[in-house]
Amino acid sequence: MVGSMANPRLRSLLWWRWWAKKDWAIAAVGFTVVAFALTLLSNSWRDEPDSEITRPFHPINASDLVELTLLQNAKARGALCLDGSAPGYHFKKGFGSGANNWLLHIEGGGWCNTIESCNSWRKGTPLGYSKYMDRKIPFSGILSSHPSQNPEFFNWNKVKIRYCDGTSLAGHPENELKNGSAPFFRGQLNWEAVMDELLSVGLSKAKQGLFSGCSAGGLATLIHCDDFRSLLPTDATVKCLADAGYRRSLLKALKEFQKNKEGGMFISSCFIHCQAWMTETWHAPTSPRINNKTIAESVGDWYVN
């Protein structure tokens, strides 16, 4: 009885070990084949010119990284992040035919809508404290300086405004605690101070301007679009692009405008939340298309009528 029981178990154990070895052998062969294929693909990329046609997107390099500039005289202006630190932005100077054109993009990051939430879940993050902001960030998508990524706006002056007030650059000191402690709701003052600083370095002479933002920054674009228009020369072409800024309110606001036969709208459902700042969705071989045009090309056509 014991012997007849042991033999099946032994056979089972030997069978399992044989299959385990076989699986490892198959896995090893499979890994070798995949590694060889990737090597061939990598070599083919290396041998071909660096372009959007041969690569899924342009790799980030040192020239794409843009330094953080903290707002000058922020405290004197009353311009503060939630914790009381100075707001900031990243600025890359335009060149060539885009030297007098400006593109501003406001970072997203949702809202904190109570003193408690602004104090808690934003504490120790760049969405409320400038000391935690990356000192260098890559400019890609609508902020890219590569014509293969950003055909219409690649050589414009480009600014990314960091978002650290929690309320789409619309907060006001009247909503703060009266004892002078954080959180500080200075979004509107931050907007005014950043605009004044940019106007002093060339924005006041802009010939063309595009004001954009993503998510909560898209809402900030809607809030400040008219003010942005008023700050630029009257003969400048100025337009605003809200990327994923609060759908229902936007559609409701546009109902009356839809009756205007002389007006037009270009509104897309989001392929992904915030489409403009990533090359993969903005302008790449795999980007979503309308009539075989990427979002970047469609926005470019809209901007130049």
Side-chain angles (χ1 to χ4, degrees):
M1 178 71 72
V2 173
S4 63
M5 290 285 291
N7 287 336
R9 288 179 180 173
L10 181 59
R11 284 196 298 269
S12 177
L13 181 60
L14 292 173
W15 177 84
W16 172 253
R17 286 181 177 174
W18 180 79
W19 272 106
K21 289 180 179 179
K22 185 177 180 181
D23 287 347
W24 275 109
I26 293 171
V29 171
F31 178 79
T32 303
V33 171
V34 171
F36 181 68
L38 288 175
T39 301
L40 288 178
L41 183 60
S42 176
N43 289 338
S44 68
W45 276 356
R46 216 175 279 123
D47 294 338
E48 294 178 5
D50 185 13
S51 71
E52 288 291 338
I53 297 175
T54 58
R55 301 190 181 193
F57 55 90
H58 197 289
I60 298 297
N61 55 48
S63 66
D64 298 318
L65 299 176
V66 182
E67 292 271 1
L68 174 69
T69 298
L70 293 179
L71 198 63
Q72 298 178 16
N73 302 319
K75 196 168 184 179
R77 293 289 305 265
L80 306 171
C81 294
L82 286 168
D83 72 325
S85 58
Y89 60 90
H90 303 259
F91 170 47
K92 189 162 189 176
K93 194 170 179 59
F95 57 93
S97 60
N100 292 317
N101 301 334
W102 286 74
L103 190 155
L104 276 61
H105 185 80
I106 299 180
E107 179 182 30
W111 270 44
C112 59
N113 49 17
T114 66
I115 288 176
E116 291 74 21
S117 67
C118 291
N119 256 335
S120 58
W121 69 272
R122 300 218 167 197
K123 191 171 186 178
T125 76
L127 291 174
Y129 302 75
S130 60
K131 70 178 180 179
Y132 293 108
M133 294 177 183
D134 291 334
R135 265 36 197 177
K136 289 184 178 182
I137 63 169
F139 270 22
S140 59
I142 197 172
L143 294 173
S144 173
S145 295
H146 301 283
S148 61
Q149 287 189 42
N150 192 21
E152 189 65 42
F153 312 110
F154 72 96
N155 61 354
W156 288 28
N157 295 283
K158 292 182 286 291
V159 181
K160 181 169 184 176
I161 300 173
R162 299 304 295 264
Y163 176 48
C164 67
D165 76 294
T167 55
S168 294
L169 296 181
H172 196 275
E174 66 186 18
N175 298 312
E176 297 172 0
L177 294 172
K178 305 307 178 187
N179 60 8
S181 62
F184 298 98
F185 300 115
R186 303 295 178 90
Q188 179 64 34
L189 297 178
N190 293 357
W191 161 257
E192 294 171 2
V194 169
M195 288 301 102
D196 285 347
E197 193 159 304
L198 294 177
L199 288 167
S200 71
V201 296
L203 180 61
S204 62
K205 299 177 181 178
K207 292 182 178 179
Q208 297 188 90
L210 178 61
F211 181 37
S212 69
C214 156
S215 194
L219 178 57
T221 303
L222 297 173
I223 293 171
H224 295 293
C225 179
D226 289 340
D227 188 43
F228 180 70
R229 162 66 274 187
S230 70
L231 294 173
L232 271 62
T234 55
D235 60 347
T237 300
V238 180
K239 298 189 179 183
C240 300
L241 171 66
D243 184 1
Y246 299 102
R247 178 179 180 272
R248 289 182 182 176
S249 298
L250 175 64
L251 294 179
K252 183 179 179 181
L254 291 174
K255 278 188 176 179
E256 288 300 314
F257 184 75
Q258 287 176 318
K259 301 173 184 177
N260 180 1
K261 294 182 179 180
E262 296 181 357
M265 296 179 286
F266 180 87
I267 304 172
S268 67
S269 295
C270 294
F271 181 78
I272 190 171
H273 189 64
C274 295
Q275 303 171 96
W277 68 277
M278 291 189 298
T279 300
E280 294 90 332
T281 48
W282 178 244
H283 187 66
T286 55
S287 295
R289 282 172 160 74
I290 298 174
N291 294 331
N292 204 33
K293 289 190 176 182
T294 62
I295 295 173
E297 290 170 320
S298 298
V299 170
D301 288 349
W302 160 75
Y303 186 86
V304 299
N305 294 321

